[in-house]
């Protein structure tokens, strides 16, 4: 049964330790795992209220002989999945948390956007604005959220509840007691795990991240995130539905993956392999990325022997620019979620690369965005989070009265559709690099 946040100290501390230990074990498994995608079957239909990230089928790892040296560390843009700040260990989470009503009331963070006296709070946003590791990401989401609220004339009934390290439960209690009909947050996966573990008595809550594979979603908790898995699935469906020119049009279509070693890039490769085989494609060969010239030349020779119809680059922008020229004329796909604006020299190497990007970046002048304020961040990652904030408010607004069974939004971060009861799927736009610009793939030259 649901419990109030003001539960026993023992229960709260136990849940927090379990969450921390679980996160540590998962991190250790990711570091220890190899780059190839592990065996697995087709995805089964998820149970209502459950988010499932099915492991990918086995990919045949191809490691060129010349790539025996240690691979250079790839630089990626975190999707609010950054590890705990330096120095944060299990032992650092020892302060006694507030667990009684009076303690929670005293510890409740101030709201950044406060409803005028006598005006009830309708929508609450809970973010780690005072956690150094996540402050910039959280602030980008907050700005987008409040910009959308202002555009809708809803600022008077919208409140933001910031929190510092270990303060997510206190912030959620403050949001709940404010009378909010919808709470949006938390932003990080670890905080979401903690909220879900405590089975809190909450109104409709829209988390801006997702739980781990097979973890049941508590009642009234929804998930909306910038998931890189959705990009992988979209690319797989695109290649299957519209094979590249000159490629086979049946199950003989052959795809290879050139993959990086970070958890985010491995998730991207894994999700693509899973969806590709579920669509009837052959298990992709996986080539581990090594940026040395000898290793790249060896990879080119190996890929040339297999003559693939397409390649997935599970790499960041700089690494993709190194790898793509070695693919020759093989059509290549990637996710925009790990890209940052590159120098003109790098952009030239990416010419012809197809990737998934959010509409807010691809077509900023689109009619559906005409009433939404723009903000320049100088960072694609922060711009995407701003777009997520824009969409999160619009979703929350639609859920204020009664949560709809069906929902679809042509949003700034993509087409957002409610599936499986309480999970939102986000689908971006496939674009191509042409002369240093992102152009929708279906737009003729």
């Amino acid at each position: 049964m649901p419990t109030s946040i003001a539960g026993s100290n023992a229960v709260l501390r136990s849940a927090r330790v379990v969450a921390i230990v679980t996160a540590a074990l998962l991190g250790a498994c990711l570091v220890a795992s190899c780059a190839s995608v592990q065996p697995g079957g087709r995805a089964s239909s998820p149970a209502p209220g459950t988010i499932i990230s099915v492991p990918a089928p086995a990919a045949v790892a191809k490691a060129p002989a010349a790539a025996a040296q240690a691979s250079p560390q790839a630089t990626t843009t975190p999707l609010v999945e950054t590890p705990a700040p330096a120095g944060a260990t299990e032992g650092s989470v020892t302060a006694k948390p507030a667990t009684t009503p009076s303690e929670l009331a005293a510890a409740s963070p101030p709201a950044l956007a406060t409803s005028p006296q006598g005006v009830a709070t309708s929508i609450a946003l809970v973010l780690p604005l005072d956690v150094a590791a996540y402050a910039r990401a959280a602030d980008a989401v907050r700005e987008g959220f409040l910009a959308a609220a202002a555009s809708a004339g809803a600022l008077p009934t919208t409140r933001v509840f910031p929190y510092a390290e270990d303060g997510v439960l206190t912030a959620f209690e403050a949001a709940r007691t404010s009378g909010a009909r919808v709470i949006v947050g938390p932003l990080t996966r670890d905080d979401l795990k903690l909220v879900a573990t405590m089975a809190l008595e909450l109104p409709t809550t829209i988390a801006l991240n997702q739980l781990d594979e097979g973890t049941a979603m508590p009642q009234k908790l929804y998930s909306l995130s910038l998931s890189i898995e959705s990009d992988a699935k979209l690319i797989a469906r695109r290649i299957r539905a519209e094979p590249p020119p000159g490629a086979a049009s049946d199950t003989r279509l052959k795809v290879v993956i050139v993959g990086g070693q970070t958890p985010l890039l491995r998730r991207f490769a894994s999700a693509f392999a899973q969806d590709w085989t579920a669509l009837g494609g052959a298990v992709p060969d996986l080539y581990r990325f090594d940026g040395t010239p000898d290793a790249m030349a060896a990879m080119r020779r190996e890929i040339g022997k297999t003559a693939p119809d397409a390649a997935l680059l599970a790499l960041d922008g700089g690494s993709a620019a190194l790898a793509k020229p070695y693919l020759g004329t093989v059509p290549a796909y990637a996710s925009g979620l790990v890209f940052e604006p590159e120098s003109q020299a790098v952009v030239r190497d990416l010419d012809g690369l197809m990737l998934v990007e959010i509409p807010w970046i691809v077509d900023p002048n689109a009619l559906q965005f005409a009433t939404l304020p723009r903000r320049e961040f100088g960072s694609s990652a922060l711009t995407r989070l701003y777009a997520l904030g824009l969409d999160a408010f619009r979703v929350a607004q639609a859920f204020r009265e009664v949560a709809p069974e069906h929902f679809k939004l042509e949003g700034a971060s993509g087409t957002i559709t409610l599936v499986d009861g309480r999970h939102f799927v986000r689908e971006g736009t496939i674009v191509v690099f042409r002369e240093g610009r992102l152009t929708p793939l279906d737009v003729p030259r």
Side-chain angles (χ1 to χ4, degrees):
M1 293 180 63
T3 61
S4 68
I5 297 177
S8 68
N9 293 351
V11 171
L12 179 59
R13 285 196 294 268
S14 176
R16 295 182 62 79
V17 170
V18 169
I20 293 166
V21 173
T22 301
L25 290 174
L26 286 173
C29 290
L30 284 170
V31 172
S33 63
C34 64
S36 59
V37 183
Q38 298 301 317
R42 293 191 179 191
S44 59
S45 298
T50 302
I51 296 176
I52 298 178
S53 301
V54 183
V60 181
K62 302 287 186 178
Q69 300 176 355
S71 300
Q73 193 74 17
T75 302
T76 60
T77 301
L79 300 182
V80 199
E81 277 194 281
T82 50
T89 63
E90 181 179 341
S92 68
V93 190
T94 56
K96 175 181 176 293
T99 54
T100 67
S102 59
E103 289 175 335
L104 286 165
S108 294
L112 295 184
T114 306
S115 306
Q117 188 172 4
V119 177
T121 299
S122 177
I123 298 174
L125 178 64
V126 179
L127 291 173
L129 289 160
D130 298 329
V131 179
Y134 307 117
R136 291 183 67 204
D139 190 60
V141 173
R142 180 188 67 85
E143 290 205 26
F145 197 88
L146 294 182
S151 178
L155 270 181
T157 59
T158 302
R159 299 179 69 184
V160 178
F161 294 86
Y163 62 90
E165 198 76 41
D166 308 324
V168 63
L169 294 182
T170 300
F172 261 82
E173 172 66 3
R176 184 186 69 81
T177 56
S178 75
R181 294 183 178 182
V182 178
I183 298 176
V184 177
L187 180 62
T188 70
R189 184 170 292 192
D190 284 347
D191 285 345
L192 175 56
K193 289 178 185 177
L194 183 57
V195 170
T197 299
M198 295 302 294
L200 308 176
E201 289 182 341
L202 295 172
T204 297
T205 299
I206 301 170
L208 301 179
N209 214 308
Q210 59 189 21
L211 293 172
D212 293 329
E213 172 190 344
T215 305
M217 293 279 284
Q219 191 176 12
K220 295 186 177 182
L221 179 62
Y222 294 74
S223 173
L224 168 65
S225 66
L226 290 174
S227 167
I228 199 168
E229 287 87 351
S230 66
D231 286 1
K233 294 175 184 294
L234 178 59
I235 292 171
R237 294 197 303 272
R238 174 73 186 214
I239 297 174
R240 173 57 65 191
E242 299 184 35
S249 58
D250 55 21
T251 54
R252 292 175 298 174
L253 196 65
K254 184 174 180 59
V255 179
V256 298
I257 299 173
V258 181
Q261 299 301 299
T262 68
L264 178 64
L265 296 176
R266 290 204 300 268
R267 278 173 44 202
F268 180 46
S270 176
F272 174 85
Q274 173 65 42
D275 216 55
W276 179 249
T277 54
L279 292 170
V283 176
D285 290 343
L286 174 64
Y287 295 83
R288 299 184 182 94
F289 174 75
D290 184 328
T292 62
D294 287 347
M296 289 287 94
M299 183 189 74
R300 177 170 56 191
R301 289 193 298 270
E302 291 296 319
I303 290 179
K305 294 176 184 177
T306 64
D309 299 297
L312 179 80
L313 300 183
L315 302 170
D316 64 12
S319 298
L322 286 175
K324 187 179 180 300
Y326 288 89
L327 296 176
T329 59
V330 177
Y333 298 79
S335 169
L337 290 182
V338 293
F339 277 70
E340 281 292 323
E342 303 287 351
S343 67
Q344 281 302 114
V346 170
V347 167
R348 284 196 296 271
D349 288 330
L350 294 176
D351 200 60
L353 177 69
M354 292 163 279
L355 64 151
V356 183
E357 187 54 276
I358 66 169
W360 187 255
I361 290 178
V362 175
D363 190 7
N365 298 317
L367 184 61
Q368 66 264 34
F369 305 144
T371 62
L372 298 175
R374 299 202 67 83
R375 164 76 194 278
E376 297 300 326
F377 290 93
S379 162
S380 294
L382 295 179
T383 299
R384 295 182 191 109
L385 288 165
Y386 179 84
L388 178 64
L390 292 172
D391 290 346
F393 175 81
R394 298 162 76 190
V395 172
Q397 194 175 36
F399 279 66
R400 283 180 306 170
E401 303 300 332
V402 178
E405 292 184 7
H406 306 283
F407 179 83
K408 187 172 183 178
L409 171 69
E410 295 297 331
S413 64
T415 300
I416 296 171
T417 307
L418 178 62
V419 299
D420 300 333
R422 297 194 298 278
H423 178 54
F424 293 98
V425 170
R426 182 196 57 83
E427 189 171 281
T429 302
I430 297 184
V431 295
V432 58
F433 265 111
R434 287 179 181 164
E435 299 177 353
R437 297 178 179 274
L438 292 177
T439 305
L441 187 57
D442 299 319
V443 174
R445 288 181 179 271

